Amino acid sequence: MGQILLLSVSGHDRPGLTQSLTSILAAHGARILDIGQAVVHDTLALGLLIDAPDKSLALEEDILRKATQFEVAAHFTDVTEQEWQSWLGRASKQRFVVTVIASALTAQHLADVSAAIANGALNIDRIERLSSRESLAESGRACVQFHISGQKSEPDKLRASFLKLAQETGVDIAIQQESQYGRSRRLIAFDMDSTLIQAEIIDELAKMQGVGEEVSRVTEAAMRGELDFKQSFTRRVGLLKGLPESRVLELLDRVAITDGAERLISTLKSQGYKTAILSGGFTFFGLHLQSKLGMDYLHANELEIRHGIVTGNIVPPIMDGQRKAEKLQEIATEMGITLDQAIAVGDGANDLPMLNLAGMGIAFRAKPVVRQSAQHAISTLGLDAILYLLGMRDRAMP
């Protein structure tokens, strides 16, 4: 190798600058060993690590002359052989992506996240904004990603510190290994009640039947993991006995879809994803939602109705947490993909089996026990915040 140099360029970003500089490097026979560029508020920061010929004075003069023409600053730094070898050795570092999501992000939020990264003996390699150009503190939705690395990182401890920080600050913080992060996901499966829709259907039916408070208490205990789902579900459905089918169908137009759901699903379908509803709720509403959102798969519980009246029974088998996980596996097998390529989203304890089975499990506006156990949690924005976890930018979304 010849002389190793780091070329640093900064100033107002202008079209043609990178092309002009790399053309000069090419004319002098220089090799580019590394390159990085960022633009913040039209201000450029460009770095090129180059292997220059032994006599590089003419190269440096040509670069500095061109930089002056573009009204930017350029600076060369000598890189020793030892520094070069040390840089190469750090290629084996573990790499992670930390995604910070909130309705607004303050300097204190970013300082707290940066401190947690530093305390974990990790280095920040790159920071990117995924949300739109509006102020991070005022836009109503904000997302920043930190690309970090380290030699002796402990992701479980870092995840725990981020979870604690999220609880204290009210922002969502997710960490993923870079090897797991990317565009290989192909399937996303959702719980329905309180995830895709803004209600628990069984609770709404119970209100119609006049047993709302009793059923809600059992529902809450089951979602917290305090009761066996099958037993509690059977008990709750039994209280619906005698409800007219006409009243049941009234819910189709009354229960709202969760904010961001339509944008999320339409975007993922445009990217080739398959979508599924895996629900402990009821098929009558699941079929309505599947048609409205264009979902590919639906597995839920069938509420037995005879002669226009709810019988208080469920057509077996009951769709509990274990069966949700089994159905996720079945769909992945049918698609010919691995579970690492699957995403599962839910809010209750009966969602944990599929959240833990999927390559990416996301607790959405979830109960505390679910947030503690899931890989990732989103509570501050709508369902379309999941797109940020996949590295998508606002400007690339519909």
Side-chain angles (χ1 to χ4, degrees):
M1 297 183 69
Q3 184 181 12
I4 304 174
L5 299 171
L6 175 62
L7 169 59
S8 304
V9 181
S10 61
H12 188 75
D13 190 27
R14 300 177 188 277
L17 174 60
T18 302
Q19 183 271 330
S20 296
L21 296 179
T22 52
S23 294
I24 292 172
L25 296 176
H28 284 274
R31 292 192 304 144
I32 297 177
L33 305 175
D34 193 19
I35 184 171
Q37 176 175 308
V39 178
V40 179
H41 197 61
D42 289 335
T43 298
L44 167 78
L46 170 64
L48 298 105
L49 187 66
I50 62 174
D51 174 17
D54 290 335
K55 296 180 180 179
S56 61
L57 184 58
L59 181 154
E60 294 182 22
E61 288 177 346
D62 287 349
I63 288 288
L64 294 174
R65 187 179 301 111
K66 183 60 66 175
T68 300
Q69 293 175 8
F70 276 90
E71 299 180 332
V72 296
H75 176 72
F76 284 94
T77 303
D78 290 330
V79 177
T80 67
E81 181 69 21
Q82 183 179 5
E83 290 170 334
W84 161 250
Q85 292 299 331
S86 176
W87 180 78
L88 286 177
R90 292 196 296 272
S92 61
K93 292 186 296 186
Q94 289 182 291
R95 299 181 185 278
F96 304 91
V97 179
V98 176
T99 308
V100 186
I101 302 170
S103 57
L105 286 174
T106 67
Q108 189 61 56
H109 291 147
L110 300 183
D112 291 340
V113 172
S114 301
I117 292 169
N119 290 338
L122 291 156
N123 185 64
I124 298 172
D125 300 324
R126 189 168 81 254
I127 302 174
E128 299 177 314
R129 171 181 51 79
L130 299 188
S131 50
S132 62
R133 284 194 172 192
E134 283 116 3
S135 168
L136 290 175
E138 299 174 2
S139 65
R141 55 185 296 120
C143 178
V144 170
Q145 279 192 338
F146 293 78
H147 294 254
I148 64 177
S149 62
Q151 294 285 6
K152 297 180 179 179
S153 56
E154 297 183 79
D156 289 340
K157 286 186 178 180
L158 192 58
R159 184 174 285 109
S161 68
F162 283 149
L163 180 61
K164 182 175 182 293
L165 184 58
Q167 292 169 342
E168 293 171 350
T169 61
V171 302
D172 295 326
I173 309 170
I175 179 171
Q176 306 171 59
Q177 280 196 302
E178 199 172 70
S179 59
Q180 298 172 341
Y181 172 81
R183 308 297 185 266
S184 65
R185 315 287 185 185
R186 288 294 173 265
L187 168 66
I188 184 165
F190 298 90
D191 171 49
M192 181 172 68
D193 295 40
S194 297
T195 300
L196 279 175
I197 59 175
Q198 298 181 38
E200 295 285 333
I201 294 298
I202 194 168
D203 290 352
E204 298 303 309
L205 294 175
K207 292 174 187 176
M208 293 179 174
Q209 186 69 341
V211 292
E213 290 187 9
E214 186 175 352
V215 167
S216 290
R217 284 195 297 270
V218 179
T219 299
E220 283 297 311
M223 296 300 282
R224 290 192 301 267
E226 297 170 3
L227 293 175
D228 173 80
F229 179 82
K230 286 185 178 180
Q231 292 176 342
S232 67
F233 189 62
T234 301
R235 186 191 312 173
R236 286 175 287 164
V237 173
L239 294 169
L240 303 179
K241 184 177 180 179
L243 186 64
E245 181 180 18
S246 59
R247 298 296 311 280
V248 171
L249 297 180
E250 289 176 14
L251 289 182
L252 296 182
D253 297 320
R254 283 174 42 186
V255 176
I257 295 174
T258 299
D259 50 303
E262 291 171 290
R263 184 184 190 225
L264 168 64
I265 291 168
S266 64
T267 301
L268 291 181
K269 287 178 71 67
S270 72
Q271 299 291 320
Y273 278 71
K274 294 294 184 182
T275 57
I277 300 172
L278 303 181
S279 173
F282 299 119
T283 53
F284 82 88
F285 202 97
L287 288 167
H288 166 73
L289 196 60
Q290 181 182 27
S291 175
K292 188 176 182 66
L293 296 177
M295 309 286 283
D296 298 293
Y297 301 91
L298 167 65
H299 296 282
N301 288 305
E302 185 176 348
L303 181 64
E304 186 178 73
I305 299 176
R306 292 184 180 177
H307 309 297
I309 300 295
V310 174
T311 67
N313 297 320
I314 286 292
V315 178
I318 290 177
M319 188 75 167
D320 62 357
Q322 186 56 43
R323 190 161 177 78
K324 286 187 181 188
E326 291 170 0
K327 288 300 180 183
L328 181 66
Q329 176 69 77
E330 287 180 17
I331 295 171
T333 300
E334 178 184 327
M335 290 177 59
I337 65 173
T338 68
L339 286 167
D340 282 341
Q341 295 174 281
I343 303 167
V345 187
D347 73 304
N350 67 321
D351 295 313
L352 282 173
M354 73 171 181
L355 297 186
N356 292 330
L357 187 64
M360 176 183 282
I362 303 170
F364 179 73
R365 297 178 183 172
K367 311 299 183 289
V369 65
V370 183
R371 289 200 304 270
Q372 292 281 351
S373 302
Q375 302 164 3
H376 310 294
I378 291 178
S379 300
T380 58
L381 301 182
L383 272 173
D384 53 343
I386 290 172
L387 296 170
Y388 291 142
L389 297 185
L390 302 177
M392 297 188 191
R393 301 173 183 272
D394 274 345
R395 64 172 179 260
M397 303 178 206

